[in-house]
Amino acid sequence: MRRSAIERLLPAAYQRACVPGSVLWALLDVMEGLHAPDEAILAEVDALFDPYRAPDDMVVRLTRWVAMDHVVASHRPDAPLPLPVGRLRDLVAHGALLARWRGTPYGMRRALEVATGVSGFAVEEPDDRPFHVVVRVPAAAADHLAVITRIVEAEKPAATTAEVVLAASPPPDQPTAAPSA
């Protein structure tokens, strides 16, 4: 708060006594200096809650706030994050959408795609096994199986069982299809 703004809050008698060089003038200058760091933080407080502007350590807290805490859950506080911070930022940014579709095949597929950055997940409900889902993981996401399993367990409907299956990667001698122009 600026010295002049603090001065306006004072009773009229003090306002008249607040002249340059007075003790009250100096006191208001000190008050302005004490308020400056807090006001600088408050001026940028919205950055703390924006997933793409927040500091890295705040992103983990934001992930928990949007009910994606199972992604960053760890038994040890010094454990490394299971995903890069950029992926966590994307999860927070998509938090409302993921909450809206939670418990559906689309929601599970979308959560897995956002968390891993890989598309091609398939969520199947076999006819011969009621209340069971099979999640087929593309080979490109194989290094994220632990996180994928945690997401599947949290995102599936409570009364269902789930199975995570890694899709077979194409043989090394078989060329992959080139994108069409």
Side-chain angles (χ1 to χ4, degrees), residues 64-80:
R64 291 182 174 117
W65 287 357
V66 295
M68 294 301 285
D69 51 334
H70 50 277
V71 175
V72 294
S74 175
H75 300 293
R76 294 185 355 240
D78 62 334

Side-chain angles (χ1 to χ4, degrees), residues 107-170:
M108 187 181 303
R109 217 175 17 259
R110 191 72 186 120
L112 293 169
E113 289 171 353
V114 171
T116 62
V118 176
S119 60
F121 288 89
V123 180
E124 302 164 359
E125 301 174 49
D127 292 333
D128 60 337
R129 292 185 70 188
F131 305 108
H132 183 77
V133 293
V134 176
V135 178
R136 301 209 182 275
V137 178
D143 55 339
H144 296 295
L145 276 180
V147 174
I148 291 168
T149 303
R150 284 200 308 261
I151 291 172
V152 168
E153 286 300 317
E155 298 294 320
K156 70 176 181 60
T160 63
T161 56
E163 177 181 354
V164 176
V165 178
L166 185 60
S169 58

Side-chain angles (χ1 to χ4, degrees), residues 4 6 17 23 46 48 77 86 94 99 119 146 150 171 177:
S4 57
I6 299 170
V23 173
D46 59 318
L48 292 174
H94 289 88
S119 60
R150 284 200 308 261

Side-chain angles (χ1 to χ4, degrees), residues 47-67:
L48 292 174
F49 305 104
D50 181 341
Y52 296 110
R53 293 174 37 210
D56 290 352
D57 59 337
M58 184 65 177
V59 175
V60 173
R61 288 182 182 90
L62 293 174
T63 306
R64 291 182 174 117
W65 287 357
V66 295

